[in-house]
Amino acid sequence: MSKIVTLQQSIMAEDEKFAASIREANRKRGLLMVNIIGSPGCGKTTLLERTAKESGLSFAVIEGDLATNRDAERLDVLGIPVVQVNTHGGCHLEANVVEKAMETLPLDSLDILFVENVGNLVCPAEFDLGEDFKAAVLSAPEGADKPLKYPYLFSSSKIVLLTKTDLLPYLPFDMKMFTDDVKSLNPEAPVLYLNGLTGEGFGGWTDFLKDRIKEKKADAR
Amino acid sequence: MHEVSLAESIAAALLQMQEEHRWKSVVEVRLRIGALRQVFPDILSFAFNTVTRSTALEGARLVVEDVPLSFRCRDCGTSWQEETVLCPSCGSIHRETVAGMELDIESVEVEE
Ligand SMILES: [Zn+2]
């Protein structure tokens, strides 16, 4: 006998259970968690290095990497606690892996937990890790057409960061198209322009983080 | 190729349910997938067939229902479908996406 069973559940239901447990634990702690998503080489690690220099905030990083631990080493030399999670070719991090990685970090003494997701604009955006928000990172050399090519990431992120702005004078990057496209996907997300070499634009980013930390700590109990 | 990740998640969820409910087999899986997710149904089906090979789900068919984008204004409550940044009725920027983000397993047809 065949029968139809109605489920109406998310494809990600299993992952979402772990994500919900992380979110609840961080709510109690008052710890802000940010999921950083961008292509390989878009400057995610440089963004974190510079954020450490400019913000004075105490944070830790969960580093998702396909195979190496080079990014983790770069952060380690700055004294940033970092846990490396190799996905062994997997294109994204999942919440159960992140929850395990969190156990080894001094979470109660941090302002922020960053997840530097695997370099990829598609799969990482689909897996909820229990973060407070996603930050979409695009580097200027990748081109202004990317938001419309990866609409889910750009519409589900709370903030959009354009990195490597020092290269803009040398690139055919259509700034108006880029900002218009991001606005059309996500009218309320701020778009920030960052130069990781000089620190230009980082004030806006660190202010944004500090405001979110304040909100998070105020809600904790 | 996020279809592979999605196919793996669908298969994992269904295998777990199949074990719980002791279904003999799964004949058809109906999904609802929002336009923003950019899922190609043919690629998803191909990936699903591949990841379920030699499992209890082998042979199950995937059927994808596309859910179009839809927005709602948080200020005046107007709903609309065409991709515009501002609310067509009051001009507010406080738009929320109410459909188009779906990634749901709607139902399954099973043999008991
Ligand atoms: Zn309105």
Side-chain angles (χ1 to χ4, degrees), chain B residues 23-92:
Chain B
W23 297 328
K24 235 184 268 158
S25 66
V26 177
V27 183
E28 189 172 280
V29 184
R30 299 192 146 267
L31 309 171
R32 296 181 78 238
I33 296 185
L36 266 182
R37 298 290 192 160
Q38 293 189 302
V39 169
F40 292 92
D42 290 348
I43 300 178
L44 183 62
S45 290
F46 178 77
F48 184 75
N49 290 343
T50 307
V51 301
T52 56
R53 196 163 293 150
S54 332
T55 73
L57 295 171
E58 183 161 3
R61 269 193 315 275
L62 277 195
V63 178
V64 176
E65 180 197 339
D66 297 314
V67 184
L69 268 169
S70 143
F71 306 104
R72 204 184 73 89
C73 173
R74 282 211 296 267
D75 290 326
C76 76
T78 301
S79 295
W80 73 96
Q81 298 219 307
E82 59 284 8
E83 176 81 76
T84 61
V85 177
L86 302 178
C87 169
S89 107
C90 77
S92 160

Side-chain angles (χ1 to χ4, degrees), chain A residues 60-174:
Chain A
V61 178
I62 294 177
E63 177 81 45
D65 224 309
L66 291 171
T68 74
N69 62 353
R70 287 195 191 147
D71 289 348
E73 283 168 2
R74 279 173 59 187
L75 297 168
D76 195 47
V77 298
L78 296 176
I80 299 168
V82 43
V83 190
Q84 156 100 25
V85 180
N86 277 346
T87 58
H88 302 291
C91 52
H92 60 271
L93 285 173
E94 293 179 15
N96 61 340
V97 180
V98 169
E99 195 169 42
K100 220 164 272 149
M102 285 171 70
E103 287 169 11
T104 62
L105 289 169
L107 299 174
D108 292 320
S109 60
L110 299 175
D111 298 311
I112 314 183
L113 174 61
F114 283 110
V115 176
E116 182 181 341
N117 220 309
V118 180
N120 170 348
L121 297 171
V122 185
C123 303
E126 288 178 335
F127 286 80
D128 184 2
L129 301 180
E131 71 272 5
D132 291 278
F133 62 87
K134 295 194 278 263
V137 182
L138 183 76
S139 66
E142 290 172 80
D145 59 338
K146 292 302 172 291
L148 288 191
K149 287 194 173 162
Y150 301 96
Y152 184 70
L153 172 62
F154 287 90
S155 44
S156 63
S157 291
K158 198 178 180 84
I159 186 165
V160 175
L161 307 175
L162 183 72
T163 59
K164 306 192 186 180
T165 54
D166 51 310
L167 298 175
L168 283 171
Y170 315 104
L171 298 167
F173 189 92
D174 185 339

Side-chain angles (χ1 to χ4, degrees), chain A residues 3 5 7 9 11 126 188, chain B residues 74 103 105-106 108 110:
Chain A
K3 73 163 185 181
V5 184
L7 299 171
Q9 73 164 45
I11 286 174
E126 288 178 335
E188 292 183 64
Chain B
R74 282 211 296 267
L103 213 51
I105 305 174
E106 182 64 20
V108 285
V110 298

